[in-house]
Structures are given as C-alpha cells and as structure tokens.
C-alpha cells in the first residue's frame, strides 16, 4: 500500500517540526519510506517512484551509492576493459578534480535534473566552459554505468549541456604555404621525413609516432594507419574504427621516405619515426626538443611579450616562441585537400574522423567557394530558362 502522511515531532529545542512521509513498497515487495519537507515534493517524487517500481528499475535511497562510489565503478570498468592508460588517467582527473569535490558525497537517487543544472552552473563559474563540458559529460557517463548496474533508475545528467558560443571555440590554425616550406627547408635530416609526412598525410602525432615501415607502401605510394602510440609511449590500436585508414602520398614524400628508410634507426617495433634507439618517441620530447626549435630556426615564431614589450635574453636578443602546435600540420593537410576540391566523404576518411559532422564542424569554413558558387548559380539559371 502506498501513502503520503504528515508527520510531526518536537526538536530537542522544543520547536515543532513537520515532514511528509511517503510509505511505499519497491518492486521486490519490501516496504520503504522517504520524507520531504513539502507535500508537493512528496507527491511529485511518488509519481516518479511508482513508475520506476512498475518498470522494475527503482532504487531506494538506502540501497543507492554515492557519486564517488559510482565514479570508482566507472573508472574500474574502463581499466578492466583495457582502455588506454591516458584515457583512464583523464577519467580519474575529471572525477577527482571537477566532480567529486562538488557532489562526490551525493547519493545517486538524490540527484535531480535541477541539482545537476546547479552543478553545471558552479562548474562554469569556476572552470573554463570547455572543462565544464567535459565534467558534465563525464558525470553523464558515470550515471549511465550506474544505471547499467541497476544503481539508479535514470541518468538525470543526460540532457544537461554546457553551451559554448562560436566565439569561444578554438579556431583552426593553419600555417601559410611559406611557413610550411620554411619548416621543410630548415628541418634537420632526422626530422624532415616526419614533418613532411605530417604535412602531406594529416596524420595525428600519435599515429606518426606509432607508424611502422610495414604500414608504408612506397611502391603503391600509400600510408596505412593501423596503430598509434599514446602519451606514455605504449603502442595500441587507433582510438576508433575510423582511425584505420589508407592515405595516398605524393612523389616528393615517397622519395624522402625512401631515402630516410636507409638511415632510420632500427628497433623491435619497426617504427618509421623512432627515437635514436629505435623506440617510441615521447610526444613532449618531440615537441620541446624538435618541433618547437625547428619553428624558431625557420622563423615561424613570435617574440615573447612582457608588459607590452618583447622579452630579451641575456644577450639582449628577443626571446622567441613557436607559432604552432604539431596538430596545425594536420590542419594544413586538410586545407590543401579542400583547395583541391576533395569530396567531403573522402576528406572524412583521410582525416580519420568518426563522422561527417566532425569534419564539417572542423573544416566547414574552409569549404566556401565564392567563384564556384557563382558558376553553380549561373548554370542553374541557364537550366531554368532554357
């Protein structure tokens, strides 16, 4: 039997207290109770609880776990499934730094859409919108896993979003042709093949660091992505099925790779761009010791500013900083393909995107073609009036 009744009692200081008690039975027939300060809240909750009981998915407060416990289950599952160490580390950081300090002690059954919206608002106040969005998505994943285990009836974070305006989203930075040529011209012999491969194939840094000679067919002039190296230098499969792909390469790159293969350090993994001992290059080392100094040597850099003035070194010369991250070479490849009027489906495949939407969101602004639009309109007019 289900009922809502008013309960009154005296507090230790003699003040009269009241609450509305919901008395009900769960799907297992066990008697449960839950109290509310307002009758309206009790009635609203009972309606939802009755539906959950009828579907066999209700979880009583006393049987619920905290957000902290649910987050641990989520992270443990990722580790148990063999997710990459970097991915698990990111999950743990999102939980430890952005979720648990604010709502870690809350029981899952007491989370509501309004309470998650309040959590979102607090994140936006104290974190960047990008980080707030990641934390909300992580909470939603935590609740999805808890729901799968029967620890909560619904995912109240599923529809919560952190909206970022177009102005707040990072812009794609594409090096100019002269900058790309300067990078190639100034690259030392052990770095030039990797830089050229990045520019002409659009491979991610992790894919380049995990690329094997077995994945490069110089006769057919194609490169196949079959594995990657994570930030810890561990070799594994591409992060998604879309990451498996084959990309054609131009004659200049074929010639460069053919020469590089003869002097490339040998190692157990047969890597095309290994460290000096034939092992996996560490990403941070590649950036700090190779790619960033290359940009400064090639003049693809800007002065470091302090209080509106260029910062000077001990010799009175401006201190320079590199202009681009390594990912910009990937954008350069996409930009060059788009200028050659590559079709959208092929661009998606070559870039290794999991969906056309990601390709459009990233490079859609580069696909505008005023002259081409004019020709299409003129052709349409001729067809309509013929």
């Amino acid at each position: 039997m289900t009922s809502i009744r008013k309960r009154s009692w005296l507090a230790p200081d003699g003040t009269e207290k009241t609450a509305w008690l919901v008395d009900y039975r769960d799907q297992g027939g066990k008697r449960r109770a839950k109290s509310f300060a307002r009758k309206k809240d009790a009635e609203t909750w009972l309606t939802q609880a009755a539906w959950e009981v009828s579907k066999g998915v209700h979880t009583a407060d006393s049987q619920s776990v905290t957000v902290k416990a649910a987050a641990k289950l989520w992270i443990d599952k990722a580790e148990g499934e063999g997710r990459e160490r970097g991915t698990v580390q990111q999950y743990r950081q999102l939980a430890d730094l952005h979720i648990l300090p604010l709502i870690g002690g809350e029981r899952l059954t007491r989370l509501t859409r309004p309470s998650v919206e309040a959590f979102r608002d607090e994140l936006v106040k104290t974190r960047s919108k990008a980080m707030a969005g990641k934390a909300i998505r992580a909470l939603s994943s935590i609740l999805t896993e808890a729901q799968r285990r029967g620890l909560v009836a619904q995912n109240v974070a599923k529809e919560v979003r952190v909206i970022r305006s177009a102005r707040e989203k990072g812009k794609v930075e594409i090096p100019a042709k002269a900058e790309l040529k300067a990078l190639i011209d100034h690259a030392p012999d052990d770095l030039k093949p990797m830089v050229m491969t990045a520019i002409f194939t659009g491979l991610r840094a992790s894919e380049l660091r995990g690329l094997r000679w077995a994945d490069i067919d110089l006769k057919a002039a194609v490169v196949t992505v079959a594995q990657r190296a994570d930030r810890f230098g561990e070799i594994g499969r591409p992060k998604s099925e879309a990451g498996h792909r084959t990309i054609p390469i131009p004659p200049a790159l074929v010639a460069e790779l053919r020469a590089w293969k003869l002097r490339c350090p040998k190692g157990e993994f047969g890597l095309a761009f290994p460290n000096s001992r034939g092992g996996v290059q560490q990403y941070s080392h590649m950036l700090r010791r190779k790619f960033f100094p290359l940009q400064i040597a090639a003049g693809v850099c800007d002065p470091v500013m302090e209080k509106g003035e260029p910062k000077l070194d001990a010799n009175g010369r401006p201190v320079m900083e590199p202009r681009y991250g390594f990912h910009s070479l990937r954008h350069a490849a996409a930009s060059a393909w788009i200028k050659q009027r590559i079709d959208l489906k092929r661009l998606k495949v070559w870039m290794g995107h999991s969906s056309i939407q990601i390709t459009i969101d990233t490079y859609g602004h580069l696909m505008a073609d005023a002259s081409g639009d004019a020709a299409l309109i003129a052709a349409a007019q001729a067809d309509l009036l013929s």
Side-chain angles (χ1 to χ4, degrees):
M1 182 176 179
T2 302
S3 66
I4 297 178
R5 56 189 173 84
K6 188 176 183 180
R7 176 174 172 262
S8 300
W9 72 96
L10 290 178
D13 61 359
T15 306
E16 184 178 2
K17 299 288 186 179
T18 61
W20 294 91
L21 188 69
V22 177
D23 191 355
Y24 70 104
R25 291 187 182 277
D26 64 17
Q27 57 263 31
K30 187 169 182 177
R31 189 174 178 182
R32 305 285 187 183
K34 185 175 175 66
S35 62
F36 297 86
R38 300 189 307 168
K39 184 178 182 181
K40 181 179 179 181
D41 294 336
E43 292 172 338
T44 301
W45 181 87
L46 180 56
T47 300
Q48 177 65 28
W51 179 86
E52 292 171 1
V53 169
S54 70
K55 298 295 183 182
V57 296
H58 178 70
T59 303
D61 276 2
S62 60
Q63 305 300 309
S64 180
V65 299
T66 62
V67 172
K68 181 177 180 179
K72 184 178 185 305
L73 291 173
W74 174 59
I75 293 169
D76 288 347
K77 178 174 180 283
E79 286 184 310
E81 291 179 341
R83 300 294 295 273
E84 288 188 356
R85 186 156 43 131
T87 299
V88 175
Q89 184 184 65
Q90 184 182 44
Y91 286 0
R92 188 171 283 114
Q93 288 176 344
L94 285 169
D96 292 346
L97 301 179
H98 308 291
I99 298 176
L100 304 189
L102 298 178
I103 58 172
E106 287 288 333
R107 288 190 178 275
L108 300 189
T109 51
R110 295 187 179 180
L111 287 179
T112 62
R113 172 69 181 268
S115 70
V116 175
E117 290 285 1
F119 168 62
R120 185 206 77 93
D121 292 344
E122 184 60 29
L123 286 173
V124 171
K125 287 179 186 176
T126 55
R127 279 89 168 163
S128 67
K129 282 192 174 181
M131 183 55 67
K134 289 179 181 179
I136 287 294
R137 290 191 293 274
L139 176 61
S140 181
S141 295
I142 289 170
L143 295 180
T144 295
E145 175 58 20
Q147 189 177 21
R148 185 185 71 84
R149 294 172 180 266
L151 300 175
V152 70
Q154 58 180 330
N155 181 353
V156 293
K158 189 174 183 179
E159 302 300 327
V160 178
R161 298 283 185 270
V162 176
I163 306 300
R164 297 169 64 195
S165 67
R167 230 180 309 176
E168 294 171 310
K169 295 178 182 178
K171 292 184 178 179
V172 170
E173 292 187 326
I174 303 173
K177 290 180 182 179
E179 292 175 324
L180 294 172
K181 187 175 186 305
L183 291 176
I184 293 174
D185 290 344
H186 288 79
D189 291 343
D190 64 340
L191 182 59
K192 184 176 179 180
M194 187 177 188
V195 169
M196 287 183 65
T197 303
I199 292 172
F200 290 120
T201 68
L203 264 62
R204 301 174 177 91
S206 61
E207 295 167 342
L208 286 164
R209 290 164 48 241
L211 189 68
R212 301 168 298 185
W213 284 112
D215 303 320
I216 303 173
D217 187 335
L218 295 176
K219 187 174 181 180
V222 295
V223 167
T224 297
V225 179
Q227 62 179 34
R228 62 189 289 273
D230 68 13
R231 71 180 74 174
F232 301 100
E234 295 181 358
I235 298 292
R237 294 167 59 83
K239 295 193 75 172
S240 68
E241 283 304 313
H244 290 270
R245 61 198 190 277
T246 297
I247 305 162
I249 57 177
L253 180 55
V254 170
E256 183 67 31
L257 290 175
R258 200 182 297 278
W260 168 241
K261 190 174 184 179
L262 298 176
R263 62 181 193 275
C264 174
K266 304 298 186 290
E268 60 176 318
F269 300 119
L271 299 176
F273 307 115
N275 58 27
S276 59
R277 299 182 301 278
V280 179
Q281 287 196 64
Q282 291 298 322
Y283 180 62
S284 59
H285 182 275
M286 184 189 76
L287 287 180
R288 293 197 308 268
R289 301 290 183 85
K290 296 183 177 182
F291 187 57
F292 290 164
L294 168 59
Q295 291 186 65
I296 292 172
V300 184
C301 52
D302 299 298
V304 176
M305 305 299 289
E306 280 189 349
K307 298 179 181 179
E309 297 291 334
K311 181 179 178 180
L312 304 178
D313 62 16
N315 297 316
R317 293 173 298 195
V319 176
M320 308 300 288
E321 60 183 354
R323 192 169 292 162
Y324 301 105
F326 198 85
H327 210 69
S328 291
L329 302 186
R330 175 170 163 81
H331 297 323
S335 173
W337 291 333
I338 290 170
K339 286 180 180 177
Q340 297 306 312
R341 300 180 183 276
I342 185 176
D343 61 89
L344 192 56
K345 184 176 181 181
R346 189 175 300 174
L347 178 62
K348 168 196 171 291
V349 171
W350 288 359
M351 296 305 293
H353 289 159
S354 58
S355 71
I356 287 284
Q357 191 59 52
I358 293 175
T359 309
I360 294 173
D361 289 345
T362 308
Y363 300 113
H365 65 290
L366 300 177
M367 298 177 187
D369 179 8
S371 61
D373 290 346
L376 287 172
I377 293 298
Q381 172 186 288
D383 181 64
L384 289 170
L385 300 180
S386 61

